[in-house]
Amino acid sequence: MRSLMNLSELVPALNDFASLSLAESWDNVGLLVEPSPPHAVRTLLLTNDLTEQVMEEAVQKNADLILSYHPPIFAPLKRVTWRTWKERLVVRALEHRIGIYSPHTAYDAVPHGVNNWLSKGLGACTSVPLHPSTAPSHPTEGTHRVEFCADTTEHLETVLSKIKDIPEIFCLTTLPVRVDGEEQTRVSLNCSQKALLEVVALLSQNSLLYRKTEVLLLQKPLLPHTGMGRLCTLSEPASLSDIIERIKSHLKLPHIRLAVGTGKTLDSPVKKAALCAGSGSSVLKGMEADLYLTGEMSHHDVLDAVANGVSVILCEHSNTERGFLSELRDMLTIHLQNKINIILSEKDRDPLQVV
């Protein structure tokens, strides 16, 4: 029998499943609406888009928290009234003590996220991120490393004393070294961008030290298998027509939109496919592949791809995302140790239909 989780316990667990630091800087992710604490969560409702129909469903099913892949609050709200549908979502959520959490592009980036699920529609393949994510912080403190050598102990002590007075200096170390047959002391330190200016200004006062100074930019390491979009290499090439049928089956769609690349046909082999769930124009643009797979692209970006011999499959925005929720439910059930009831929205659907 499932118990419950307090929201203050559940939100960190959700953040641990997919770090919000992986989300794009423009995104609005995390806990967006919070009922007054303490707030117990017994039922979590998963949806791709939080519409008023889905909110009514959440109320009827006694959901305590809604995980909406797309953030229902994106542009800042200047008021919370009954006038607009997004304001009404907030009002109803608070009236019924329902929290709202949105992961959006954090779920796009993680290895076990939306784009990984979408890639399964291509068949057996290996994939790498089109735009790899970097770690949220440097492996050590500071953004730069400064190294220099000094051969005069007395003068070095004066310089080190002044350096220690500069704020945001980290990991200051000294090491005896032999340079060109002479005993010297090598100084290494990490510092912030602001402190770097002061350190360089100090060292520039001594031409000998300044000439022996090296400044290194500390790069944030890339995270393996993490980032936006995926470049997929199929284990065996397949014809464009076969890929179309695989995608339709995976997404459970009767129709997709297709633009065939210049010089290509439905029988042309597809070996590499670049994909991005949702709106993929900015992520896919300029990528070398036989096929682009996404929900939507601008007219002119499609023209560019076709002119470069790249075929394009468009499935509508949320159709490339919604199917992931079933997989997400299973993963979260394990991640949250089966403590709460996780259900899928039955009212959530893409607003566009083929008629």
Side-chain angles (χ1 to χ4, degrees), residues 35-203:
S36 58
H39 182 60
V41 177
R42 291 178 175 83
T43 300
L44 169 62
L45 175 73
L46 306 182
T47 185
N48 201 76
D49 293 295
L50 180 51
T51 61
E52 290 189 279
Q53 291 76 20
V54 174
M55 175 58 76
E56 177 60 30
E57 178 186 18
V59 171
Q60 294 300 320
K61 293 182 176 179
N62 297 313
D64 306 294
L65 179 67
I66 298 171
L67 188 154
S68 176
Y69 168 73
H70 287 135
I73 303 173
F74 200 82
L77 296 177
K78 294 186 177 181
R79 57 186 58 83
V80 180
T81 69
W82 201 247
R83 197 177 75 173
T84 69
W85 73 275
K86 290 199 172 183
E87 291 175 59
R88 290 194 293 271
L89 289 177
V90 177
V91 172
R92 295 214 71 195
L94 292 175
E95 284 180 340
H96 293 275
R97 293 189 58 77
I98 300 174
I100 300 174
Y101 180 96
S102 178
H104 201 201
T105 52
Y107 277 13
D108 292 348
V110 290
H112 51 283
V114 181
N115 284 308
N116 179 68
W117 166 81
L118 183 58
S119 71
K120 294 177 182 179
L122 297 170
C125 64
T126 58
S127 67
V128 295
L130 293 172
H131 301 278
S133 297
T134 57
S137 60
H138 294 87
T140 59
E141 292 184 284
T143 59
H144 293 77
R145 174 167 296 162
V146 179
E147 296 183 349
F148 62 90
C149 286
D151 51 14
T152 306
T153 304
E154 181 178 347
H155 180 63
L156 177 60
E157 290 177 354
T158 302
V159 172
L160 291 179
S161 176
K162 292 181 179 180
I163 287 177
K164 290 176 182 177
D165 289 335
I166 299 175
E168 301 179 3
I169 297 293
F170 315 103
C171 307
L172 177 60
T173 61
T174 58
L175 181 71
V177 295
R178 180 176 290 275
V179 179
D180 296 331
E182 295 183 3
E183 294 291 338
Q184 297 191 8
T185 300
R186 186 163 188 82
V187 179
S188 175
L189 62 92
N190 290 0
C191 63
S192 66
Q193 176 74 50
K194 180 180 178 182
L196 175 66
L197 299 177
E198 296 186 55
V199 171
V200 171
L202 174 63
L203 296 178

Side-chain angles (χ1 to χ4, degrees), residues 285-311:
K285 194 175 184 65
M287 293 295 169
E288 293 186 7
D290 303 307
L291 173 70
Y292 289 170
L293 169 61
T294 187
E296 59 180 327
M297 287 176 66
S298 74
H299 173 78
H300 296 287
D301 285 335
V302 173
L303 289 179
D304 285 343
V306 169
N308 290 324
V310 181
S311 298

Side-chain angles (χ1 to χ4, degrees), residues 204-224:
S204 66
Q205 296 173 13
N206 184 300
S207 59
L208 291 177
L209 286 182
Y210 191 63
R211 285 201 301 269
K212 298 178 181 179
T213 298
E214 296 178 330
V215 178
L216 307 174
L217 175 63
L218 299 179
Q219 298 282 357
K220 295 177 181 179
L222 297 179
L223 297 175

